[in-house]
Amino acid sequence: MAGIKEGASNGGGAAKPVAQRLLATATRLFAEQGYDRTSVQEIVDAAGVTKGALYHYFGSKEDLLHEVYGRVLRLQQERLDRFADADAPVEQRLRDAAADVVVTTIENLDDTKIFFRSMHHLSPEKDKQVRAERRRYHERFRALIEEGQHTRVFSADVPADLVVDYHFGSVHHLGTWYREDGPLSSQQVADHLAGLLLRALRP
């Protein structure tokens, strides 16, 4: 994913906190007042840096938006790959992956809400890149379902693509209702949704 320029986070101990501070500040401002109503000047003022510092780490405000979601998607992809490659029955691997995407989405709820609310501001090139990364994630997740269907652990009555859409529809909807002070913890929500998915796939 585009975002922090290549090498920018490897330039020593002082470099990394600046990029992180810029990203954290942009995320907060985008969440509070919207991407389109947040200026570059507001971001650098709130982060306590200059515009030159911002452009050293990020090419534009759009790159900040891109990175807000990119860091979450990279985390989720790394964790999905780990679950998918684990030495465990496919049902357990799918359950772990299905629960993890719920927990990591809730833990980064501001980031995901900002992105889905503002992704139409991305250039066609960046939009295409994000969609390709999301497709890679969904395809790896779908491969677990297909593995279980081919080995008859899961029912093949419903196409795997539809099962993926069913689960991720629930995940993408989390931002509209989940509250940290609500009756369910992130792990409880994750366990419930993963359980629903597995029950839907039972032969």
Side-chain angles (χ1 to χ4, degrees):
M1 302 287 287
I4 299 176
K5 291 182 179 179
E6 186 177 355
S9 62
N10 298 322
K16 193 172 182 182
V18 175
Q20 289 177 338
R21 189 160 77 248
L22 281 164
L23 192 56
T25 301
T27 300
R28 176 175 59 79
L29 291 174
F30 293 163
E32 290 174 355
Q33 57 194 41
Y35 171 81
D36 54 337
R37 292 188 296 276
T38 300
S39 69
V40 168
Q41 190 63 54
E42 286 178 290
I43 294 169
V44 298
D45 286 347
V49 301
T50 64
K51 281 188 179 179
L54 185 147
Y55 292 127
H56 176 71
Y57 295 104
F58 301 92
S60 64
K61 187 176 81 164
E62 181 193 19
D63 280 349
L64 280 165
L65 174 63
H66 193 202
E67 183 64 15
V68 164
Y69 187 59
R71 61 182 175 178
V72 179
L73 191 53
R74 286 194 298 273
L75 168 69
Q76 291 177 331
Q77 184 70 60
E78 289 168 6
R79 292 175 66 84
L80 173 59
D81 289 341
R82 199 178 314 141
F83 289 126
D85 293 336
D87 183 17
V90 66
E91 183 173 0
Q92 184 63 51
R93 285 182 281 139
L94 180 62
R95 179 183 289 277
D96 290 343
D100 183 73
V101 72
V102 174
V103 171
T104 52
T105 295
I106 289 174
E107 287 176 347
N108 298 277
L109 208 52
D110 274 351
D111 302 52
T112 52
K113 284 195 292 186
I114 288 165
F115 189 80
F116 286 115
R117 190 170 61 206
S118 307
M119 66 182 296
H120 62 282
H121 290 290
L122 290 178
S123 66
E125 180 184 353
K126 281 189 169 59
D127 180 70
K128 182 178 179 181
Q129 186 177 6
V130 168
R131 291 180 187 278
E133 293 291 339
R134 287 177 62 195
R135 185 165 58 250
R136 176 175 175 251
Y137 183 93
H138 285 196
E139 287 173 351
R140 190 78 203 266
F141 193 92
R142 184 186 65 203
L144 284 171
I145 296 169
E146 291 174 335
E147 178 186 341
Q149 289 177 330
H150 292 157
T151 56
R152 300 186 178 181
V153 173
F154 301 148
S155 169
D157 291 345
V158 180
D161 279 334
L162 191 56
V163 178
V164 172
D165 288 342
Y166 164 79
H167 187 65
F168 284 95
S170 299
V171 173
H172 295 161
H173 193 59
L174 287 167
T176 67
W177 68 267
Y178 182 80
R179 298 293 177 270
E180 190 175 347
D181 59 353
L184 296 174
S185 69
S186 60
Q187 190 60 58
Q188 287 173 317
V189 174
D191 291 340
H192 283 310
L193 291 180
L196 285 170
L197 176 67
L198 269 294
R199 286 196 290 277
L201 284 168
R202 281 178 184 158

